[in-house]
Amino acid sequence: MFSRNKQPAIKSLIAQGSRIEGDVHFADGLRIDGEVHGDVRAQGGQSGLLVISALARVEGAVHAAHVIVNGEVVGPVHATELLELQPKARITGDVHYKALEMHQGATICGSMTPTDAVLEEKPPLKLASSAQ
């Protein structure tokens, strides 16, 4: 479904021990090992890979095509393609995703909403035992 070979390269890093105050906008890929107090957004909000490691903490909205969380996010998460929640992921906020992969141990305190692309109208099912 989602080829890992087509991932954009991670070209930026917010290292452990670093703290960013303000919004972060990135192109291609970003890995966060430190703290960000502000929104984190891929350029255009519709592309990019964002990795929030087990050591990281983000307080603000997160917007990217592919989001991998193993740390803490306090704020809404918007993944236009794929959201991966690894075992140490802790999200306090609403989650919006097209596809979701959630490992045992990950927690979400908020609502989970699939995007409209997933909620296509499906034809009604007819049971084989139905007398019609």
Side-chain angles (χ1 to χ4, degrees):
M1 182 172 180
F2 295 100
S3 174
R4 294 193 188 270
N5 296 335
K6 296 181 182 179
Q7 300 279 339
I10 294 178
K11 296 183 178 178
S12 302
L13 169 69
I14 298 173
Q16 183 179 3
S18 298
R19 180 178 167 146
I20 306 291
E21 296 276 346
D23 296 346
V24 175
H25 298 265
F26 68 95
D28 296 323
L30 170 65
R31 179 182 173 97
I32 301 174
D33 290 337
E35 289 186 45
V36 175
H37 294 261
D39 296 349
V40 178
R41 183 179 300 268
Q43 283 184 341
Q46 303 298 313
S47 63
L49 169 65
L50 175 62
V51 177
I52 300 171
S53 78
L55 307 170
R57 178 178 169 87
V58 175
E59 291 184 19
V62 170
H63 296 265
H66 186 169
V67 181
I68 301 171
V69 180
N70 200 25
E72 183 175 6
V73 177
V74 179
V77 176
H78 299 266
T80 58
E81 290 298 324
L82 176 62
L83 173 61
E84 293 182 48
L85 301 178
Q86 295 182 341
K88 294 181 181 177
R90 297 166 315 281
I91 297 176
T92 304
D94 296 340
V95 173
H96 305 269
Y97 58 91
K98 183 174 182 180
L100 175 67
E101 180 180 319
M102 187 170 181
H103 294 255
Q104 184 175 353
T107 61
I108 298 172
C109 184
S111 67
M112 297 175 63
T113 308
T115 59
D116 292 336
V118 176
L119 298 175
E120 297 171 357
E121 187 68 31
K122 297 195 175 104
L125 292 175
K126 291 187 179 182
L127 299 175
S129 63
S130 163
Q132 292 183 358

